[in-house]
Amino acid sequence: MHRRTAARPGHRIAAPLLAGLLLAGCTSAASDPEAAPGSSGAVPTAPPQPSPQLTDQQVAFAVDRIDAYVQDALRRTGVPGLALAVVHKDKVVHAKGFGVRELGKPDTVDPDTVFQLASVSKPISSTVVATAVGQKAVAWDDPVIAHDPGFTLADPWVGRHVTIADLFSHRSGLPDHAGDLLQDLGYQRDYILQHLRDQPLAPFRATYAYTNYGLTEAAVAVARTRGTAWETLAADTLYKPLGMTSTSSLRSAYDNAADKAVPHVRTGDGSGWQVSTTENADPQSPAGGVSSTVQDLARWMRLQLADGSFEGKQIVDTAALGQTWLPHSLSNPPSAPDGNPGQYGLGWNVGRDNGGRLRLNHSGAFELGAATVVTLLPSEQLGIVVLTNGQPVGLPEAVAEEFFDLAEEGHETVDWLAFFGKVVPAAALTGVSPTDYTKPPADAAPARPDAAYVGTYANGYYGPLTVTTGNGGALVMSLGPDDLQFPLQHYAGDVFSFRTRGENAVGLSGVTFGVGADGRASTVVVEQLDHEGLGTFTRS
């Protein structure tokens, strides 16, 4: 899971990514059902910015006090390590590491420690695509099939018309996190992207749903038209020109880094932390697979805040980069007439604070051990990035909001750590079964003989599912290209449960066999895999 940022209560917003759409610049497609989106108007540019409202002294005040806040926040949460960098007026005014890279070892975090970024990869990837747009190799409103002719979706018309911008702003109609469960089962990028066509679609450009693999498809299509791999394109057009020597879109670079932050998760009882291992995010590298340091990311923030320029050289076309800052989707409608809507641009949460200033933001989250955030205030030429090596508990978001509070208000306006400490973990509960499989009914019917369930069941999306009898006599379910094994625990009648695994694990989930008159199961429905109606397997 590469989760999104929650809204800031009653103050500035961090644009949560929930649902809805405000589509900019696509009236032609609405009026003419066969019109190419974006084909009839001028290219939009970044919105104008008000004059700076913060003084150098206010920023320095926040910089002077944020370290103490971080130390206290690490103590309160127990997260092992954190690094942050602050950029102001094209200078790195603060870069520092706190805590340790790995519990039980003395190595400390420093500004050159490599962290996994999770979904902070998305605005980095939209920067990479903006370089290709500026070079006229692609356009944001190009249909994806113009660069990947084999791509399609469940509705062929949508498959022909969905654009790079549609997929980078999560407005294609694909369901939330479409394809992520395939990655949990061990499937690779090509298989997952090919099977996006099996996903049911919500109305095109009328709904918002956060999709790592939709964005990945768009990025890979751009790389294809450049005749290279995405990971190479990102390195050649962004990382190398900026001197981001510790940044990569390949998991192997993170694994091989000598100075890296190891992921951690809470212990089972929640009282402490333990070392963990995150999934290899290479299949969705554009959406969540970048690793970097705060030193490198400070260079990227400087580029963003200088409209694509870095140390006197134009790296990214200003207009192409500016399009990433524009709202393309309404991710969260306002809850009151005077409320702030959540909006999403191209790889960015896009909002306005109470002073009318543009605010760009994105969080990243690996439930298996990383949490990150970047926030930019372009009119102030001010940005902060916060990276941590613990599962999401709201720490990076709290540090970033505290920094802006100190700079703008001179004091904390909200207990951000308490606020995000509730909001962020709650977001991880999506998909948890309403059934408590640890408590079978008192009058639960017994299971049938194992022979009723044993066999192989087919599914066009998830592939084959095999049920066998394990060494201990219990039933075992196998899924995925590597035959991941999940022991089944009887619940009631023909219903069993299994413990989910991976980035999108949700505890115990159900497995229900459909048994015919012959006493033999003909189907099996896996609850965790059935949220979009794709979780039914039929006996081969």
Side-chain angles (χ1 to χ4, degrees), residues 369-404:
T372 60
V373 73
V374 60
T375 302
L376 305 181
L377 209 56
S379 66
E380 305 292 345
Q381 298 180 59
L382 180 64
I384 185 171
V385 61
V386 186
L387 311 178
T388 73
N389 61 348
Q391 76 178 87
V393 294
L395 175 58
E397 292 85 357
V399 171
E401 297 305 328
E402 181 75 13
F403 175 80
F404 283 104

PDB file of all heavy atoms in Angstrom, residues 369-404:
ATOM      1  N   GLY A 369       7.094  -1.104   6.611  1.00  0.00           N
ATOM      2  CA  GLY A 369       8.214  -0.451   7.247  1.00  0.00           C
ATOM      3  C   GLY A 369       8.780   0.832   6.714  1.00  0.00           C
ATOM      4  O   GLY A 369       9.959   1.100   6.909  1.00  0.00           O
ATOM      5  N   ALA A 370       7.994   1.703   6.061  1.00  0.00           N
ATOM      6  CA  ALA A 370       8.515   3.001   5.633  1.00  0.00           C
ATOM      7  C   ALA A 370       7.375   4.006   5.588  1.00  0.00           C
ATOM      8  O   ALA A 370       6.249   3.660   5.237  1.00  0.00           O
ATOM      9  CB  ALA A 370       9.177   2.904   4.261  1.00  0.00           C
ATOM     10  N   ALA A 371       7.683   5.261   5.933  1.00  0.00           N
ATOM     11  CA  ALA A 371       6.705   6.340   5.859  1.00  0.00           C
ATOM     12  C   ALA A 371       7.438   7.627   5.519  1.00  0.00           C
ATOM     13  O   ALA A 371       8.481   7.931   6.113  1.00  0.00           O
ATOM     14  CB  ALA A 371       5.942   6.487   7.174  1.00  0.00           C
ATOM     15  N   THR A 372       6.903   8.383   4.563  1.00  0.00           N
ATOM     16  CA  THR A 372       7.597   9.542   4.015  1.00  0.00           C
ATOM     17  C   THR A 372       6.609  10.645   3.679  1.00  0.00           C
ATOM     18  O   THR A 372       5.409  10.393   3.515  1.00  0.00           O
ATOM     19  CB  THR A 372       8.359   9.148   2.733  1.00  0.00           C
ATOM     20  OG1 THR A 372       7.409   8.642   1.769  1.00  0.00           O
ATOM     21  CG2 THR A 372       9.398   8.072   3.010  1.00  0.00           C
ATOM     22  N   VAL A 373       7.119  11.872   3.507  1.00  0.00           N
ATOM     23  CA  VAL A 373       6.274  12.956   3.038  1.00  0.00           C
ATOM     24  C   VAL A 373       7.146  14.053   2.434  1.00  0.00           C
ATOM     25  O   VAL A 373       8.295  14.254   2.855  1.00  0.00           O
ATOM     26  CB  VAL A 373       5.397  13.541   4.172  1.00  0.00           C
ATOM     27  CG1 VAL A 373       6.226  14.380   5.140  1.00  0.00           C
ATOM     28  CG2 VAL A 373       4.244  14.372   3.616  1.00  0.00           C
ATOM     29  N   VAL A 374       6.616  14.731   1.425  1.00  0.00           N
ATOM     30  CA  VAL A 374       7.223  15.939   0.882  1.00  0.00           C
ATOM     31  C   VAL A 374       6.126  16.983   0.756  1.00  0.00           C
ATOM     32  O   VAL A 374       4.998  16.670   0.347  1.00  0.00           O
ATOM     33  CB  VAL A 374       7.902  15.679  -0.479  1.00  0.00           C
ATOM     34  CG1 VAL A 374       6.902  15.166  -1.515  1.00  0.00           C
ATOM     35  CG2 VAL A 374       8.592  16.935  -0.980  1.00  0.00           C
ATOM     36  N   THR A 375       6.429  18.221   1.133  1.00  0.00           N
ATOM     37  CA  THR A 375       5.478  19.321   1.026  1.00  0.00           C
ATOM     38  C   THR A 375       6.204  20.553   0.508  1.00  0.00           C
ATOM     39  O   THR A 375       7.270  20.915   1.021  1.00  0.00           O
ATOM     40  CB  THR A 375       4.833  19.648   2.387  1.00  0.00           C
ATOM     41  OG1 THR A 375       4.179  18.476   2.888  1.00  0.00           O
ATOM     42  CG2 THR A 375       3.810  20.769   2.249  1.00  0.00           C
ATOM     43  N   LEU A 376       5.632  21.192  -0.505  1.00  0.00           N
ATOM     44  CA  LEU A 376       6.202  22.392  -1.101  1.00  0.00           C
ATOM     45  C   LEU A 376       5.211  23.545  -1.011  1.00  0.00           C
ATOM     46  O   LEU A 376       4.006  23.362  -1.197  1.00  0.00           O
ATOM     47  CB  LEU A 376       6.541  22.159  -2.574  1.00  0.00           C
ATOM     48  CG  LEU A 376       7.459  20.995  -2.935  1.00  0.00           C
ATOM     49  CD1 LEU A 376       7.672  20.960  -4.448  1.00  0.00           C
ATOM     50  CD2 LEU A 376       8.787  21.084  -2.207  1.00  0.00           C
ATOM     51  N   LEU A 377       5.731  24.728  -0.758  1.00  0.00           N
ATOM     52  CA  LEU A 377       4.970  25.970  -0.785  1.00  0.00           C
ATOM     53  C   LEU A 377       5.655  26.857  -1.826  1.00  0.00           C
ATOM     54  O   LEU A 377       6.552  27.651  -1.502  1.00  0.00           O
ATOM     55  CB  LEU A 377       4.979  26.617   0.595  1.00  0.00           C
ATOM     56  CG  LEU A 377       3.798  27.480   1.016  1.00  0.00           C
ATOM     57  CD1 LEU A 377       2.479  26.706   0.913  1.00  0.00           C
ATOM     58  CD2 LEU A 377       4.005  28.005   2.428  1.00  0.00           C
ATOM     59  N   PRO A 378       5.264  26.716  -3.101  1.00  0.00           N
ATOM     60  CA  PRO A 378       6.026  27.368  -4.169  1.00  0.00           C
ATOM     61  C   PRO A 378       6.147  28.880  -4.043  1.00  0.00           C
ATOM     62  O   PRO A 378       7.205  29.440  -4.364  1.00  0.00           O
ATOM     63  CB  PRO A 378       5.244  26.972  -5.433  1.00  0.00           C
ATOM     64  CG  PRO A 378       4.633  25.651  -5.088  1.00  0.00           C
ATOM     65  CD  PRO A 378       4.237  25.802  -3.651  1.00  0.00           C
ATOM     66  N   SER A 379       5.095  29.561  -3.604  1.00  0.00           N
ATOM     67  CA  SER A 379       5.175  31.017  -3.521  1.00  0.00           C
ATOM     68  C   SER A 379       6.226  31.476  -2.520  1.00  0.00           C
ATOM     69  O   SER A 379       6.748  32.590  -2.610  1.00  0.00           O
ATOM     70  CB  SER A 379       3.814  31.609  -3.148  1.00  0.00           C
ATOM     71  OG  SER A 379       3.435  31.220  -1.835  1.00  0.00           O
ATOM     72  N   GLU A 380       6.549  30.633  -1.559  1.00  0.00           N
ATOM     73  CA  GLU A 380       7.579  30.944  -0.561  1.00  0.00           C
ATOM     74  C   GLU A 380       8.927  30.327  -0.917  1.00  0.00           C
ATOM     75  O   GLU A 380       9.898  30.500  -0.168  1.00  0.00           O
ATOM     76  CB  GLU A 380       7.151  30.438   0.819  1.00  0.00           C
ATOM     77  CG  GLU A 380       5.808  30.933   1.302  1.00  0.00           C
ATOM     78  CD  GLU A 380       5.805  32.432   1.602  1.00  0.00           C
ATOM     79  OE1 GLU A 380       6.905  33.022   1.698  1.00  0.00           O
ATOM     80  OE2 GLU A 380       4.718  33.004   1.748  1.00  0.00           O
ATOM     81  N   GLN A 381       8.984  29.584  -2.054  1.00  0.00           N
ATOM     82  CA  GLN A 381      10.181  28.835  -2.428  1.00  0.00           C
ATOM     83  C   GLN A 381      10.673  27.998  -1.244  1.00  0.00           C
ATOM     84  O   GLN A 381      11.867  27.929  -0.949  1.00  0.00           O
ATOM     85  CB  GLN A 381      11.290  29.788  -2.898  1.00  0.00           C
ATOM     86  CG  GLN A 381      10.924  30.597  -4.124  1.00  0.00           C
ATOM     87  CD  GLN A 381      12.052  31.519  -4.551  1.00  0.00           C
ATOM     88  OE1 GLN A 381      13.153  31.045  -4.841  1.00  0.00           O
ATOM     89  NE2 GLN A 381      11.782  32.810  -4.571  1.00  0.00           N
ATOM     90  N   LEU A 382       9.708  27.336  -0.598  1.00  0.00           N
ATOM     91  CA  LEU A 382       9.963  26.611   0.646  1.00  0.00           C
ATOM     92  C   LEU A 382       9.467  25.170   0.516  1.00  0.00           C
ATOM     93  O   LEU A 382       8.352  24.928   0.038  1.00  0.00           O
ATOM     94  CB  LEU A 382       9.252  27.315   1.804  1.00  0.00           C
ATOM     95  CG  LEU A 382       9.398  26.705   3.205  1.00  0.00           C
ATOM     96  CD1 LEU A 382      10.851  26.743   3.665  1.00  0.00           C
ATOM     97  CD2 LEU A 382       8.506  27.467   4.191  1.00  0.00           C
ATOM     98  N   GLY A 383      10.285  24.230   0.944  1.00  0.00           N
ATOM     99  CA  GLY A 383       9.871  22.836   0.905  1.00  0.00           C
ATOM    100  C   GLY A 383      10.551  22.030   1.987  1.00  0.00           C
ATOM    101  O   GLY A 383      11.638  22.377   2.463  1.00  0.00           O
ATOM    102  N   ILE A 384       9.899  20.941   2.379  1.00  0.00           N
ATOM    103  CA  ILE A 384      10.453  20.030   3.370  1.00  0.00           C
ATOM    104  C   ILE A 384      10.178  18.602   2.932  1.00  0.00           C
ATOM    105  O   ILE A 384       9.112  18.301   2.385  1.00  0.00           O
ATOM    106  CB  ILE A 384       9.875  20.285   4.783  1.00  0.00           C
ATOM    107  CG1 ILE A 384      10.572  19.390   5.831  1.00  0.00           C
ATOM    108  CG2 ILE A 384       8.363  20.100   4.813  1.00  0.00           C
ATOM    109  CD1 ILE A 384      10.203  19.728   7.265  1.00  0.00           C
ATOM    110  N   VAL A 385      11.150  17.727   3.140  1.00  0.00           N
ATOM    111  CA  VAL A 385      10.967  16.305   2.930  1.00  0.00           C
ATOM    112  C   VAL A 385      11.357  15.592   4.214  1.00  0.00           C
ATOM    113  O   VAL A 385      12.343  15.963   4.865  1.00  0.00           O
ATOM    114  CB  VAL A 385      11.797  15.784   1.730  1.00  0.00           C
ATOM    115  CG1 VAL A 385      13.285  15.984   1.935  1.00  0.00           C
ATOM    116  CG2 VAL A 385      11.489  14.329   1.441  1.00  0.00           C
ATOM    117  N   VAL A 386      10.540  14.597   4.600  1.00  0.00           N
ATOM    118  CA  VAL A 386      10.772  13.842   5.829  1.00  0.00           C
ATOM    119  C   VAL A 386      10.682  12.361   5.493  1.00  0.00           C
ATOM    120  O   VAL A 386       9.669  11.905   4.941  1.00  0.00           O
ATOM    121  CB  VAL A 386       9.743  14.196   6.924  1.00  0.00           C
ATOM    122  CG1 VAL A 386      10.114  13.487   8.229  1.00  0.00           C
ATOM    123  CG2 VAL A 386       9.663  15.704   7.142  1.00  0.00           C
ATOM    124  N   LEU A 387      11.722  11.597   5.820  1.00  0.00           N
ATOM    125  CA  LEU A 387      11.778  10.173   5.543  1.00  0.00           C
ATOM    126  C   LEU A 387      11.963   9.413   6.850  1.00  0.00           C
ATOM    127  O   LEU A 387      12.766   9.823   7.701  1.00  0.00           O
ATOM    128  CB  LEU A 387      12.953   9.853   4.605  1.00  0.00           C
ATOM    129  CG  LEU A 387      13.093  10.709   3.347  1.00  0.00           C
ATOM    130  CD1 LEU A 387      14.327  10.287   2.555  1.00  0.00           C
ATOM    131  CD2 LEU A 387      11.843  10.622   2.481  1.00  0.00           C
ATOM    132  N   THR A 388      11.241   8.299   7.018  1.00  0.00           N
ATOM    133  CA  THR A 388      11.378   7.484   8.224  1.00  0.00           C
ATOM    134  C   THR A 388      11.477   6.014   7.861  1.00  0.00           C
ATOM    135  O   THR A 388      11.072   5.598   6.769  1.00  0.00           O
ATOM    136  CB  THR A 388      10.187   7.674   9.185  1.00  0.00           C
ATOM    137  OG1 THR A 388       9.026   7.027   8.649  1.00  0.00           O
ATOM    138  CG2 THR A 388       9.883   9.148   9.415  1.00  0.00           C
ATOM    139  N   ASN A 389      11.995   5.220   8.807  1.00  0.00           N
ATOM    140  CA  ASN A 389      12.149   3.779   8.577  1.00  0.00           C
ATOM    141  C   ASN A 389      11.232   2.972   9.496  1.00  0.00           C
ATOM    142  O   ASN A 389      11.592   1.893   9.950  1.00  0.00           O
ATOM    143  CB  ASN A 389      13.604   3.348   8.743  1.00  0.00           C
ATOM    144  CG  ASN A 389      14.151   3.603  10.142  1.00  0.00           C
ATOM    145  OD1 ASN A 389      13.528   4.296  10.944  1.00  0.00           O
ATOM    146  ND2 ASN A 389      15.319   3.047  10.443  1.00  0.00           N
ATOM    147  N   GLY A 390      10.031   3.479   9.719  1.00  0.00           N
ATOM    148  CA  GLY A 390       9.025   2.749  10.469  1.00  0.00           C
ATOM    149  C   GLY A 390       7.710   2.730   9.721  1.00  0.00           C
ATOM    150  O   GLY A 390       7.443   3.603   8.883  1.00  0.00           O
ATOM    151  N   GLN A 391       6.884   1.737  10.009  1.00  0.00           N
ATOM    152  CA  GLN A 391       5.578   1.671   9.353  1.00  0.00           C
ATOM    153  C   GLN A 391       4.784   2.935   9.658  1.00  0.00           C
ATOM    154  O   GLN A 391       5.067   3.651  10.625  1.00  0.00           O
ATOM    155  CB  GLN A 391       4.808   0.429   9.804  1.00  0.00           C
ATOM    156  CG  GLN A 391       4.201   0.509  11.184  1.00  0.00           C
ATOM    157  CD  GLN A 391       3.424  -0.750  11.537  1.00  0.00           C
ATOM    158  OE1 GLN A 391       3.985  -1.707  12.043  1.00  0.00           O
ATOM    159  NE2 GLN A 391       2.128  -0.745  11.273  1.00  0.00           N
ATOM    160  N   PRO A 392       3.790   3.264   8.857  1.00  0.00           N
ATOM    161  CA  PRO A 392       3.115   4.550   8.984  1.00  0.00           C
ATOM    162  C   PRO A 392       2.377   4.724  10.315  1.00  0.00           C
ATOM    163  O   PRO A 392       1.458   3.962  10.631  1.00  0.00           O
ATOM    164  CB  PRO A 392       2.121   4.545   7.818  1.00  0.00           C
ATOM    165  CG  PRO A 392       2.677   3.563   6.853  1.00  0.00           C
ATOM    166  CD  PRO A 392       3.336   2.506   7.674  1.00  0.00           C
ATOM    167  N   VAL A 393       2.801   5.738  11.075  1.00  0.00           N
ATOM    168  CA  VAL A 393       2.119   6.110  12.317  1.00  0.00           C
ATOM    169  C   VAL A 393       1.858   7.614  12.356  1.00  0.00           C
ATOM    170  O   VAL A 393       1.511   8.158  13.388  1.00  0.00           O
ATOM    171  CB  VAL A 393       2.922   5.677  13.561  1.00  0.00           C
ATOM    172  CG1 VAL A 393       2.992   4.157  13.656  1.00  0.00           C
ATOM    173  CG2 VAL A 393       4.319   6.293  13.571  1.00  0.00           C
ATOM    174  N   GLY A 394       2.045   8.293  11.214  1.00  0.00           N
ATOM    175  CA  GLY A 394       1.792   9.724  11.139  1.00  0.00           C
ATOM    176  C   GLY A 394       2.982  10.600  11.458  1.00  0.00           C
ATOM    177  O   GLY A 394       2.853  11.830  11.487  1.00  0.00           O
ATOM    178  N   LEU A 395       4.162  10.011  11.690  1.00  0.00           N
ATOM    179  CA  LEU A 395       5.327  10.797  12.103  1.00  0.00           C
ATOM    180  C   LEU A 395       5.801  11.787  11.041  1.00  0.00           C
ATOM    181  O   LEU A 395       5.973  12.982  11.345  1.00  0.00           O
ATOM    182  CB  LEU A 395       6.462   9.865  12.530  1.00  0.00           C
ATOM    183  CG  LEU A 395       7.788  10.534  12.878  1.00  0.00           C
ATOM    184  CD1 LEU A 395       7.619  11.543  14.005  1.00  0.00           C
ATOM    185  CD2 LEU A 395       8.839   9.491  13.236  1.00  0.00           C
ATOM    186  N   PRO A 396       6.078  11.375   9.790  1.00  0.00           N
ATOM    187  CA  PRO A 396       6.592  12.363   8.832  1.00  0.00           C
ATOM    188  C   PRO A 396       5.603  13.491   8.567  1.00  0.00           C
ATOM    189  O   PRO A 396       6.001  14.662   8.459  1.00  0.00           O
ATOM    190  CB  PRO A 396       6.870  11.538   7.577  1.00  0.00           C
ATOM    191  CG  PRO A 396       6.091  10.283   7.732  1.00  0.00           C
ATOM    192  CD  PRO A 396       5.999  10.027   9.206  1.00  0.00           C
ATOM    193  N   GLU A 397       4.307  13.158   8.492  1.00  0.00           N
ATOM    194  CA  GLU A 397       3.306  14.201   8.272  1.00  0.00           C
ATOM    195  C   GLU A 397       3.288  15.202   9.432  1.00  0.00           C
ATOM    196  O   GLU A 397       3.182  16.417   9.227  1.00  0.00           O
ATOM    197  CB  GLU A 397       1.925  13.575   8.107  1.00  0.00           C
ATOM    198  CG  GLU A 397       1.744  12.756   6.847  1.00  0.00           C
ATOM    199  CD  GLU A 397       2.207  11.316   6.980  1.00  0.00           C
ATOM    200  OE1 GLU A 397       2.738  10.939   8.050  1.00  0.00           O
ATOM    201  OE2 GLU A 397       2.030  10.550   6.013  1.00  0.00           O
ATOM    202  N   ALA A 398       3.406  14.676  10.646  1.00  0.00           N
ATOM    203  CA  ALA A 398       3.399  15.550  11.816  1.00  0.00           C
ATOM    204  C   ALA A 398       4.604  16.488  11.811  1.00  0.00           C
ATOM    205  O   ALA A 398       4.479  17.688  12.121  1.00  0.00           O
ATOM    206  CB  ALA A 398       3.375  14.716  13.097  1.00  0.00           C
ATOM    207  N   VAL A 399       5.771  15.974  11.467  1.00  0.00           N
ATOM    208  CA  VAL A 399       6.973  16.808  11.439  1.00  0.00           C
ATOM    209  C   VAL A 399       6.831  17.915  10.397  1.00  0.00           C
ATOM    210  O   VAL A 399       7.156  19.083  10.661  1.00  0.00           O
ATOM    211  CB  VAL A 399       8.212  15.938  11.151  1.00  0.00           C
ATOM    212  CG1 VAL A 399       9.440  16.818  10.895  1.00  0.00           C
ATOM    213  CG2 VAL A 399       8.482  15.001  12.320  1.00  0.00           C
ATOM    214  N   ALA A 400       6.326  17.574   9.219  1.00  0.00           N
ATOM    215  CA  ALA A 400       6.165  18.582   8.171  1.00  0.00           C
ATOM    216  C   ALA A 400       5.167  19.664   8.583  1.00  0.00           C
ATOM    217  O   ALA A 400       5.415  20.861   8.399  1.00  0.00           O
ATOM    218  CB  ALA A 400       5.727  17.910   6.871  1.00  0.00           C
ATOM    219  N   GLU A 401       4.035  19.254   9.146  1.00  0.00           N
ATOM    220  CA  GLU A 401       3.031  20.241   9.552  1.00  0.00           C
ATOM    221  C   GLU A 401       3.526  21.105  10.704  1.00  0.00           C
ATOM    222  O   GLU A 401       3.241  22.300  10.774  1.00  0.00           O
ATOM    223  CB  GLU A 401       1.728  19.541   9.915  1.00  0.00           C
ATOM    224  CG  GLU A 401       1.068  18.789   8.775  1.00  0.00           C
ATOM    225  CD  GLU A 401       0.810  19.664   7.567  1.00  0.00           C
ATOM    226  OE1 GLU A 401       0.560  20.883   7.733  1.00  0.00           O
ATOM    227  OE2 GLU A 401       0.873  19.144   6.443  1.00  0.00           O
ATOM    228  N   GLU A 402       4.275  20.493  11.615  1.00  0.00           N
ATOM    229  CA  GLU A 402       4.853  21.262  12.713  1.00  0.00           C
ATOM    230  C   GLU A 402       5.807  22.321  12.175  1.00  0.00           C
ATOM    231  O   GLU A 402       5.805  23.467  12.650  1.00  0.00           O
ATOM    232  CB  GLU A 402       5.592  20.332  13.673  1.00  0.00           C
ATOM    233  CG  GLU A 402       6.213  21.027  14.864  1.00  0.00           C
ATOM    234  CD  GLU A 402       5.196  21.430  15.913  1.00  0.00           C
ATOM    235  OE1 GLU A 402       4.047  20.956  15.841  1.00  0.00           O
ATOM    236  OE2 GLU A 402       5.563  22.212  16.818  1.00  0.00           O
ATOM    237  N   PHE A 403       6.599  21.955  11.185  1.00  0.00           N
ATOM    238  CA  PHE A 403       7.530  22.914  10.602  1.00  0.00           C
ATOM    239  C   PHE A 403       6.788  24.120  10.032  1.00  0.00           C
ATOM    240  O   PHE A 403       7.176  25.274  10.275  1.00  0.00           O
ATOM    241  CB  PHE A 403       8.379  22.247   9.514  1.00  0.00           C
ATOM    242  CG  PHE A 403       9.279  23.205   8.802  1.00  0.00           C
ATOM    243  CD1 PHE A 403      10.477  23.599   9.366  1.00  0.00           C
ATOM    244  CD2 PHE A 403       8.921  23.733   7.570  1.00  0.00           C
ATOM    245  CE1 PHE A 403      11.303  24.511   8.726  1.00  0.00           C
ATOM    246  CE2 PHE A 403       9.731  24.643   6.914  1.00  0.00           C
ATOM    247  CZ  PHE A 403      10.933  25.028   7.494  1.00  0.00           C
ATOM    248  N   PHE A 404       5.732  23.869   9.274  1.00  0.00           N
ATOM    249  CA  PHE A 404       4.997  24.990   8.690  1.00  0.00           C
ATOM    250  C   PHE A 404       4.268  25.792   9.759  1.00  0.00           C
ATOM    251  O   PHE A 404       4.149  27.020   9.644  1.00  0.00           O
ATOM    252  CB  PHE A 404       4.036  24.489   7.609  1.00  0.00           C
ATOM    253  CG  PHE A 404       4.729  24.147   6.324  1.00  0.00           C
ATOM    254  CD1 PHE A 404       4.958  22.828   5.968  1.00  0.00           C
ATOM    255  CD2 PHE A 404       5.187  25.145   5.482  1.00  0.00           C
ATOM    256  CE1 PHE A 404       5.617  22.508   4.790  1.00  0.00           C
ATOM    257  CE2 PHE A 404       5.853  24.844   4.299  1.00  0.00           C
ATOM    258  CZ  PHE A 404       6.072  23.516   3.950  1.00  0.00           C
TER     259      PHE A 404
END
